[in-house]
């Protein structure tokens, strides 16, 4: 396809991804200079379509970007009114008193939101300022200049045959050139992964760590609904098999977000994260809440968990990594949207200063400094040891030593533990199947728990079947030749959408089911699966809730 002729469009700044980071950058650029030509490209069918809604939002990022967001009608409608933390056992639970939790864990002043709706509102603010937003435009390639700098992206390529050749309705897409290109693709974005490798941006950081977050939206009995209540749990059903926990957020309209996170550094290849989530809902406390209700949506996505020590260099010649493309989630708080917004704002300010100075295509070092040393770095530094403590010593050590470490960081601004290392990547953490025994999971009952394919239908996922598969095997012989005998082919289990199957000794990829969580790209022990963007607009279409 090197000889393909494409039209080109020149911009000041090209932004890939209309999530909170990308939209914040676009808004801030136009706040600074209304004449800047700013373009945002979104692979989802609309802004918010690929945003797995349901979060507790720390409004600090929004406060910094749009101080009058309340007057402008931002959809932050449910303030947190109650904060609960539980340690779960199979038959009961123990509440951890709030006074024992470090102050940073307090959710009062935060809001239970649909991030899909927040992003839709942010897109409206951006467009009012003159930002051009193009949904359904997947960015499939980066464009490089003569000195190796990123100069633009290829977006909107459609109509390829399953073998990758141009079909009858082939559209080559167009090149959008920018003085700077911002990558705000979210976790494990394909272009972000490319620049991190090309420019060796992670050479001075620890391996990035990840979790798999799965979420259902439920409508429950009004008598059980407690608007504004936030509940987090740890312990059962994961136990010693994996790190992770759950969240239950009561928003308006008798709805609750029920979510479950499994850390992807688990050892046992027989672990089935999706079924751990389904089993969790049968805990007496959770089952009582959901009984008589109905699930109305499902989704899944990977979460960056490496924190401060896993932050790569966030700039490269001609561009920057924003938000979760770099990994800015505060793991114990399960929050990253505020940092994503702050990163977009900081990147915009660095690019504005550079353009004002007549620069383009260089490295925005001021942005990288702000990420590591400013508000984002401060937020991540004070919790930097929670994840490695949990990974190395388990849940109780994380609660004890991790809690102590957060207290000392909060009160005195330093850690007695220094900065702990993560060690292995999540793929390398997977052990051979011979060291473990299969786990017997209860069959879903169709009332509280559901099979994967049924749940995927509640994500409104759609992929045009005639397009090339966007999930690529580097070596097609690996799944059956290596992963199956050595690891019992864990792709059958770690995927929360049932994409991968072993049928009659053949490895089958049902890419139509993919909800774009990218767990396969992260957890495959042979690192043989490469997630790339499908045609624009394809993938999940999460509801406006």
């Amino acid at each position: 396809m090197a000889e393909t002729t494409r039209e080109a469009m020149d911009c000041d700044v090209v932004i890939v991804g209309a999530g909170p980071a990308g939209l914040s950058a676009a808004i801030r650029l136009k706040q600074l200079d209304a004449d800047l030509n700013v373009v945002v490209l979104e692979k989802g069918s609309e802004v918010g379509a690929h945003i797995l809604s349901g979060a507790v939002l720390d409004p600090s990022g929004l406060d910094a970007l749009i101080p009058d967001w309340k007057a402008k009608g931002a959809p932050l409608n449910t303030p947190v009114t109650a904060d609960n933390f539980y340690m779960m056992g199979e038959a009961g639970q123990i509440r951890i008193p709030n006074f024992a939790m470090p102050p940073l864990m307090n959710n009062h002043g935060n809001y239970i939101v649909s991030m899909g709706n927040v992003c839709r509102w942010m897109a409206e603010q951006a467009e009012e300022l003159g930002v051009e937003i193009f949904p359904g435009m997947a960015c499939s390639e980066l464009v490089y200049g003569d000195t190796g700098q990123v100069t633009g992206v290829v977006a909107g390529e459609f109509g390829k045959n399953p073998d990758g050749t141009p079909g009858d309705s082939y559209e080559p897409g167009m090149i959008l050139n920018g003085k700077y290109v911002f990558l705000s693709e979210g976790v494990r974005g394909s272009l972000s992964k490319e620049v991190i490798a090309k420019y060796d941006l992670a050479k001075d950081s620890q391996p990035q760590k990840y979790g798999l977050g799965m979420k259902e939206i439920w409508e429950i009995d009004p008598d059980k609904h407690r608007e504004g209540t936030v509940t987090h749990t740890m312990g059962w059903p994961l136990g010693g098999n994996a790190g992770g926990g759950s969240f239950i957020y009561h928003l308006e309209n008798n709805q609750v977000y029920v979510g479950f996170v499994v850390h992807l550094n688990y050892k046992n290849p027989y672990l089935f994260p999706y079924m751990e989530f389904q089993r969790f809902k049968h805990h007496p406390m959770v089952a009582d809440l959901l009984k008589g209700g109905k699930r109305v949506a499902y989704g899944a996505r990977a979460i960056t968990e490496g924190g401060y020590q896993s932050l790569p260099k966030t700039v490269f010649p001609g561009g920057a990594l924003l938000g979760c493309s770099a990994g800015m989630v505060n793991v114990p708080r399960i929050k990253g949207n505020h940092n994503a917004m702050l990163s977009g704002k900081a990147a915009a300010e660095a690019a504005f200063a550079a353009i004002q100075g007549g620069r383009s295509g260089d490295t925005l070092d001021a942005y990288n400094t702000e990420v590591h040393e400013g508000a984002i770095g401060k937020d991540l530094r004070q919790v930097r040891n929670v994840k490695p403590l949990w990974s190395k010593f388990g849940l109780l050590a994380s609660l004890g030593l991790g809690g102590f470490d957060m207290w000392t960081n909060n009160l005195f601004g330093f850690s007695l533990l220094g900065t702990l290392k993560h060690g292995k990547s999540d793929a390398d953490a997977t052990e051979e199947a011979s060291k473990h025994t299969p786990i017997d999971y209860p069959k879903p009952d169709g009332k509280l728990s559901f099979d994967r394919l049924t749940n995927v239908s509640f994500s409104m996922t759609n992929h045009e079947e005639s397009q090339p598969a966007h999930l690529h095997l580097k070596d097609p012989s690996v799944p059956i030749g290596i992963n199956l005998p050595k690891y019992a082919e864990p792709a059958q289990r770690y995927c929360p959408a049932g994409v991968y199957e072993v049928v009659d000794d053949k490895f089958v990829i049902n890419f139509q089911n993919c909800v774009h969580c990218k767990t396969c790209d992260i957890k495959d022990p042979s690192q043989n699966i490469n997630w790339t963007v499908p045609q624009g607009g394809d993938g999940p279409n999460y509801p406006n809730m």
Side-chain angles (χ1 to χ4, degrees):
M1 298 301 295
E3 70 282 358
T4 299
T5 301
R6 296 183 171 97
E7 295 183 3
M9 173 179 172
D10 293 331
C11 314
D12 289 308
V13 180
V14 176
I15 301 171
V16 180
L23 291 170
S24 294
I27 289 168
R28 185 59 179 152
L29 283 163
K30 297 294 278 188
Q31 288 174 340
L32 292 167
D33 184 350
D35 294 327
L36 286 174
N37 184 1
V38 181
V39 169
V40 179
L41 303 166
E42 166 56 37
K43 67 181 173 67
S45 59
E46 63 170 329
V47 173
H50 289 181
I51 300 290
L52 183 53
S53 295
V56 172
L57 178 65
D58 175 345
S60 59
L62 202 54
D63 289 339
L65 182 69
I66 308 175
D68 59 343
W69 54 264
K70 287 186 180 180
K72 290 182 178 293
L76 279 66
N77 304 319
T78 308
V80 175
T81 57
D83 221 354
N84 304 311
F85 299 89
Y86 290 100
M87 177 64 71
M88 306 286 270
E90 185 171 2
Q93 66 280 339
I94 298 173
R95 183 173 178 182
I96 302 171
N98 289 56
F99 69 79
M101 306 297 293
L104 63 91
M105 298 295 289
N106 189 338
N107 277 305
H108 290 277
N110 299 330
Y111 294 81
I112 301 171
V113 299
S114 158
M115 280 310 299
N117 285 341
V118 170
C119 287
R120 292 179 182 98
W121 175 83
M122 291 179 71
E124 292 172 0
Q125 308 310 302
E127 288 178 327
E128 287 178 6
L129 293 169
V131 175
E132 295 183 88
I133 301 176
F134 298 108
M137 292 284 279
C139 296
S140 53
E141 297 178 40
L142 290 166
V143 180
Y144 296 96
D146 294 338
T147 61
Q149 82 278 22
V150 173
T151 60
V153 297
V154 174
E157 190 173 26
F158 294 94
K160 284 186 177 181
N161 294 317
D163 64 359
T165 59
D168 294 337
S169 59
Y170 176 67
E171 297 178 23
M174 66 184 301
I175 296 173
L176 288 102
N177 295 309
K179 296 174 181 175
Y180 296 99
V181 175
F182 291 167
L183 301 180
S184 53
E185 302 173 286
V187 178
R188 198 78 167 191
S190 53
L191 302 185
S192 302
K193 192 169 66 168
E194 180 179 328
V195 299
I196 290 171
K198 179 178 177 64
Y199 300 107
D200 203 11
L201 302 181
K203 65 179 179 179
D204 296 323
S205 58
Q206 286 288 296
Q208 186 58 266
K209 307 295 286 183
Y210 299 91
L212 170 59
M214 297 157 284
K215 188 179 300 178
E216 294 173 357
I217 303 176
W218 281 71
E219 291 179 359
I220 64 169
D221 183 340
D223 291 338
K224 301 175 183 178
H225 187 250
R226 303 290 182 268
E227 185 172 318
T229 296
V230 167
T231 298
H232 290 100
T233 79
M234 296 169 286
W236 190 87
L238 291 173
N241 285 326
S246 83
F247 54 89
I248 301 173
Y249 303 151
H250 292 242
L251 65 160
E252 61 262 43
N253 301 320
N254 299 318
Q255 290 189 335
V256 294
Y257 297 126
V258 182
F260 198 78
V261 178
V262 177
H263 300 172
L264 288 177
N265 61 349
Y266 60 83
K267 298 177 181 179
N268 186 350
Y270 291 113
L271 189 84
F272 198 157
Y274 175 84
M275 290 306 298
E276 296 285 350
F277 175 31
Q278 299 307 303
R279 184 161 62 165
F280 161 75
K281 290 180 293 176
H282 286 273
H283 186 277
M285 183 183 81
V286 184
D288 180 67
L289 175 69
L290 301 180
K291 185 179 180 180
K294 65 176 181 178
R295 162 218 47 186
V296 296
Y298 166 74
R301 58 165 291 179
I303 303 167
T304 54
E305 294 187 337
Y308 185 76
Q309 54 269 63
S310 294
L311 274 177
K313 186 178 181 181
T314 56
V315 291
F316 50 88
L321 299 170
L322 276 54
C324 280
S325 289
M328 299 181 184
V329 170
N330 183 312
V331 173
R333 298 182 73 200
I334 321 180
K335 292 179 180 63
N337 289 308
H338 63 300
N339 285 335
M341 293 178 185
L342 291 172
S343 77
K345 179 176 178 290
E349 290 167 353
F352 167 73
I355 293 170
Q356 287 290 101
R359 294 157 45 200
S360 67
D362 61 338
T363 303
L364 297 171
D365 292 319
Y367 168 64
N368 188 62
T369 299
E370 174 61 26
V371 168
H372 285 81
E373 300 180 9
I376 297 169
K378 181 180 178 181
D379 184 58
L380 298 180
R381 270 197 305 274
Q382 62 185 335
V383 300
R384 65 189 182 277
N385 291 325
V386 173
K387 172 67 175 180
L389 282 169
W390 197 334
S391 299
K392 293 178 181 180
F393 304 113
L395 174 57
L396 293 180
S398 175
L399 283 174
L401 284 175
F404 173 76
D405 194 58
M406 285 191 284
W407 269 109
T408 59
N409 270 286
N410 187 265
L411 293 174
F412 308 115
F414 70 91
S415 170
L416 295 174
L417 301 176
T419 299
L420 301 179
K421 296 181 178 180
H422 291 304
K424 297 178 181 178
S425 71
D426 292 336
D428 289 338
T430 312
E431 293 183 344
E432 294 185 18
S434 60
K435 296 182 180 180
H436 300 272
T437 56
I439 301 172
D440 184 22
Y441 289 98
K443 184 178 179 181
D445 67 358
K447 297 177 181 178
L448 290 176
S449 51
F450 312 96
D451 66 84
R452 278 186 296 185
L453 295 185
T454 299
N455 241 356
V456 167
S457 71
F458 281 77
S459 68
M460 307 302 175
T461 293
N462 180 66
H463 293 86
E464 175 55 53
E465 295 189 17
S466 63
Q467 69 177 294
H470 62 283
L471 301 162
H472 302 154
L473 298 179
K474 298 173 186 177
D475 182 345
S477 70
V478 165
I480 301 302
I482 297 175
N483 283 359
L484 185 60
K486 192 172 182 180
Y487 303 104
E489 187 42 271
Q492 302 173 90
R493 293 172 292 278
Y494 60 58
C495 174
V499 169
Y500 303 102
E501 295 180 284
V502 174
V503 181
D504 297 329
D505 292 327
K506 293 183 179 180
F507 190 64
V508 179
I509 301 177
N510 304 300
F511 75 88
Q512 301 89 344
N513 296 350
C514 180
V515 294
H516 297 193
C517 74
K518 304 170 191 167
T519 300
C520 55
D521 196 298
I522 297 163
K523 186 59 177 172
D524 180 68
S526 300
Q527 286 294 273
N528 190 51
I529 300 175
N530 185 35
W531 189 97
T532 63
V533 291
Q535 291 183 165
D538 283 4
N541 284 277
Y542 294 125
N544 300 346
M545 294 180 180

